Amino acid sequence: MDCRFGFIAAIAAILLAAPSARAQGAGEVTGIWLTQAGDARVRVSKCGGGICGVVVGLKQPIDPATGKPQVDDKNPNPALAKRRIIGLPLFSGMHATGPGKWSGQIYNADDGSTYASNVSVTGADTLRVEGCVGMLC
């Protein structure tokens, strides 16, 4: 089984605010979010008029097969396949589509593909991330 975080594998997830890391007020998108499975932390910040998300931590940062940091080895671009998962941008420039809602593209490190995505704040400490394939989200 791949040790990377299930958030990306599933393409749809709920991110929960990591209580010690969330400096913003309730219902804010910016901050550090913990995946529902608890296996990755993603920093969401404002950028270019939208939002960006970057992996800032993994439960298992070291690949047990190689003994080295987890890398983006499923990326079809050989130049990108060696970049570390920690620091990997998952989405950037997602544009606002309504109050607490954004749309754009999300990268899936488990298959090296990019998908249409929707992000929404669904509670004080809950961020819903949906990946879309065709018309299905």
Side-chain angles (χ1 to χ4, degrees):
M1 180 175 172
D2 195 331
C3 293
R4 275 184 280 227
F5 43 104
F7 157 69
I8 297 303
I11 302 291
I14 301 293
L15 298 180
L16 305 172
S20 61
R22 272 311 286 289
Q24 304 297 325
E28 286 287 324
V29 70
T30 58
I32 296 178
W33 296 85
L34 183 65
T35 60
Q36 187 173 18
D39 47 8
R41 290 183 317 282
V42 177
R43 179 187 306 119
V44 176
S45 58
K46 294 186 179 181
C47 65
I51 60 170
C52 298
V54 176
V55 178
V56 294
L58 295 172
K59 186 175 183 180
Q60 292 186 340
I62 303 300
D63 183 341
T66 65
K68 296 179 181 179
Q70 298 270 1
V71 295
D72 189 19
D73 58 2
K74 300 289 190 299
N75 195 304
N77 181 338
L80 298 178
K82 294 180 182 174
R83 63 186 175 169
R84 292 184 179 185
I85 295 293
I86 295 178
L88 183 74
L90 299 179
F91 54 88
S92 62
M94 283 203 163
H95 61 278
T97 58
K101 296 180 181 183
W102 297 264
S103 290
Q105 301 283 312
I106 190 165
Y107 177 69
N108 178 353
D110 284 333
D111 68 7
S113 296
T114 301
Y115 298 89
S117 179
N118 299 309
V119 174
S120 57
V121 177
T122 59
D125 291 325
T126 308
L127 185 68
R128 180 175 176 83
V129 179
E130 297 177 305
C132 306
V133 178
M135 298 299 290
L136 299 175
C137 293

